[in-house]
């Protein structure tokens, strides 16, 4: 009897092991991060696939990371043609922080009555976290008849940042927002969002302004107070290069490309980053509560750590532009002379899984219009099916698909062949 029980137990253990291995082999669910932070997320910047997370839906105070929403409003205005980078923006009395201690409330050497360009204020807001720049841009972008808080909520709604809270464009706690204090809110009220929502914001900025990578690498920024007088100030990147990077434990030589820090006593040290590995994979990262708010090292070390966790436990599955897609080397064209058109992938994309697998793909055909198909025309989209994969809310279906394009030109065939294929093909 004992022998039978042993055999049965062994079989069950074996079967459970197979199920567990199978589940691990065929899943792309995000890695559960163990980093000592309040919340965190790692996302593939191109596809929006969530690769790792910790409390990613938890609403937390986001401090100066809030300025990314103000940046979104600016880029939205630039891309729609409503404003230009060269537009002059006045520093109003409400945006004037010249009497405040710049060590406590970061601000520029400007006062009410001065004017700076949209570009100068945008650069200062991103690279110096200048609160007066954020206030001035927030005022400038707020639609007529609407409060700044109302405008922030409007922009957040456009990005589907459901449940987030917004009070001012600089990310200051309400009691420290000076003339932009919301009167019907408590002194301790502050902007709040989740790590996943900050990742959506960051990904949106990178898509609207790819040059933000170059901006992030600037060691100094300058702005003109008068045609004859230009102010030049060192950026956070200079501090990062000199004081932070040499002290990081970074075995995979990850590159920190940007984006935005956040620091208040209430939020702790935070950083929304754009990180690149040695193989060129680009990640959007968020860490909140990574040590005390005055710490200049831990937020970056935590960022490096969570990306390293992804690289250790997740495997990249890359589809390369110009190559054939396995199982879909041709697409049938019933109305064209070339009946079976060879197709290749028109974009390179990387997806991630817990083990090296070959995901199944499903191709949706694009309806061919006109009398000809040209080389490079999109004939279909291959959807990559990964069990358990999660994507940011802003990641459209196209982020999960690979366009398939014709490799040659062909023209419409005669009516007899078209009719025959319609009936029998």
């Amino acid at each position: 009897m004992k022998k039978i029980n042993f055999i049965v137990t062994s079989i069950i253990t074996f079967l459970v092991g197979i199920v567990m291995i199978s589940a691990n082999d065929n899943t792309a669910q995000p890695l559960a991060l163990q980093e000592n932070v309040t919340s965190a997320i790692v996302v593939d910047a191109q596809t929006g696939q969530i690769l790792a997370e910790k409390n990613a839906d938890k609403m937390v105070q986001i401090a100066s990371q809030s300025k990314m929403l103000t940046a979104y409003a600016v880029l939205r205005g630039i891309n729609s043609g409503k404003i230009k980078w060269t537009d002059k923006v006045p520093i109003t009395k409400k945006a004037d922080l010249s009497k405040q201690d710049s060590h406590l409330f970061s601000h520029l050497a400007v006062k009410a009555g001065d004017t700076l360009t949209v570009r100068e204020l945008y650069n200062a807001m991103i690279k110096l976290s200048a609160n007066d720049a954020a206030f001035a841009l927030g005022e400038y972008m707020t639609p007529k008849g609407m409060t700044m808080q109302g405008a922030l909520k409007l922009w957040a709604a456009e990005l589907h940042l459901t449940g987030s809270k917004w009070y001012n464009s600089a990310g200051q706690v309400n009691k420290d927002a000076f003339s932009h204090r919301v009167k019907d809110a408590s002194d301790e009220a502050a902007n709040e969002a989740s790590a996943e929502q900050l990742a959506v914001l960051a990904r949106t900025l990178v898509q609207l302004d790819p040059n933000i990578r170059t901006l992030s690498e600037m060691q100094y920024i300058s702005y003109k107070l008068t045609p004859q007088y230009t102010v030049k100030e060192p950026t956070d990147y200079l501090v990062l290069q000199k004081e932070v990077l040499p002290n990081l434990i970074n075995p995979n030589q990850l590159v920190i490309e940007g984006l935005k820090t956040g620091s208040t006593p209430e939020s702790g040290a935070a950083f929304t980053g754009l990180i690149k590995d040695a193989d060129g994979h680009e990640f959007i990262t968020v860490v909140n509560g990574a040590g005390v708010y005055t710490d200049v090292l831990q937020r970056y070390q935590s960022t490096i750590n969570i990306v390293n966790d992804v690289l250790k436990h997740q495997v990249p599955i890359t589809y390369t532009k110009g190559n054939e897609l396995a199982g879909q080397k041709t697409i049938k064209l019933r109305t064209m002379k070339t009946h079976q058109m060879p197709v290749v992938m028109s974009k390179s994309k990387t997806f991630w899984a817990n083990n090296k697998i070959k995901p199944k793909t499903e191709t949706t055909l694009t309806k061919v219009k006109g009398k000809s198909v040209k080389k490079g025309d999109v004939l279909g989209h291959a959807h990559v099916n990964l069990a358990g994969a999660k994507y940011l809310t802003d990641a459209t279906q196209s982020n999960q698909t690979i366009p398939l394009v014709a490799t040659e030109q062909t023209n419409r065939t005669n009516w007899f062949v078209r009719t025959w294929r319609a009936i029998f093909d």
Side-chain angles (χ1 to χ4, degrees), residues 12-265:
I12 292 174
T13 304
F14 176 73
L15 291 175
V16 169
I18 290 176
V19 171
M20 292 180 65
I21 292 171
S22 177
N24 288 333
D25 284 348
N26 294 283
T27 183
Q29 65 184 38
L31 176 70
L33 293 169
Q34 303 301 315
E35 189 71 13
N36 185 23
V37 294
T38 304
S39 61
I41 196 168
V42 182
V43 176
D44 183 280
Q46 183 191 32
T47 65
Q49 183 184 353
I50 299 172
L51 308 180
E53 58 187 350
K54 177 180 181 180
N55 300 329
D57 295 329
K58 181 182 177 66
M59 293 293 168
V60 298
Q61 293 189 21
I62 57 174
S64 284
Q65 293 173 105
S66 304
K67 294 180 173 75
M68 291 193 294
L69 185 59
T70 309
Y72 162 72
V74 171
L75 296 175
R76 168 182 177 270
I78 293 289
N79 287 1
S80 67
K82 291 182 179 179
I83 64 170
K84 300 188 295 292
W85 287 117
T86 54
D87 286 352
K88 294 284 188 177
V89 180
I91 304 299
T92 66
K93 289 183 179 179
K94 293 181 70 174
D96 183 354
L97 300 182
S98 59
K99 295 181 180 180
Q100 305 302 324
D101 185 342
S102 61
H103 293 93
L104 296 176
F105 306 102
S106 175
H107 63 78
L108 304 176
V110 295
K111 60 184 184 300
D114 292 335
T115 60
L116 295 180
T117 66
V118 172
R119 169 56 79 183
E120 289 172 326
L121 289 171
Y122 177 84
N123 287 0
M125 179 177 68
I126 297 295
K127 291 308 301 169
L128 299 179
S129 205
N131 293 300
D132 47 2
F135 285 144
L137 287 174
E139 293 170 3
Y140 190 67
M141 298 309 305
T142 296
K144 189 175 182 180
M146 185 178 287
T147 65
M148 177 184 289
Q149 184 184 32
L152 289 164
K153 290 180 178 180
L154 173 67
W155 302 328
E158 289 179 359
L159 297 173
H160 307 290
L161 308 184
T162 306
S164 59
K165 296 180 181 179
W166 302 92
Y167 295 93
N168 62 79
S169 60
Q172 293 290 95
V173 175
N174 197 36
K175 65 183 178 182
D176 295 329
F178 307 108
S179 297
H180 286 286
R181 183 185 182 280
V182 177
K183 294 180 180 179
D184 60 355
S186 71
D187 284 348
E188 304 306 319
N191 296 351
E192 294 183 6
S194 68
E196 182 171 348
Q197 290 174 337
L198 290 173
V200 169
L201 253 177
R203 189 163 180 266
T204 302
L205 295 189
V206 173
Q207 291 173 339
L208 291 175
D209 181 19
N211 292 326
I212 202 167
R213 298 175 178 85
T214 304
L215 171 61
S216 296
E217 295 175 356
M218 292 175 62
Q219 295 187 356
Y220 295 89
I221 66 165
S222 59
Y223 52 95
K224 286 188 175 183
L225 287 181
T226 69
Q228 293 77 32
Y229 182 57
T230 299
V231 178
K232 184 177 181 181
E233 295 193 31
T235 68
D236 294 340
Y237 188 75
L238 188 60
V239 176
L240 181 69
Q241 288 282 343
K242 290 185 176 181
E243 299 180 19
V244 176
L245 294 184
N247 296 310
L248 289 179
I249 301 171
N250 189 9
N252 287 317
Q253 298 300 304
L254 300 174
V255 176
I256 301 175
E257 296 182 301
L259 282 164
K260 192 73 197 73
T261 58
S263 303
T264 65

Side-chain angles (χ1 to χ4, degrees), residues 282-302:
E282 196 169 46
F283 307 94
I284 288 170
T285 62
V286 179
V287 291
N288 292 308
V292 296
Y293 78 106
T294 53
D295 190 285
V296 296
L297 179 65
Q298 189 55 48
R299 72 190 75 198
Y300 297 109
Q301 187 62 66
S302 292

Side-chain angles (χ1 to χ4, degrees), residues 314-335:
Q314 301 274 42
V315 178
I317 303 165
T318 300
Y319 296 83
T320 305
K321 177 180 178 180
N323 286 358
E324 294 179 341
L325 177 67
Q328 193 68 66
K329 296 182 179 181
T330 63
I331 286 179
K332 188 179 291 185
L333 301 177
R334 289 185 171 88
T335 63

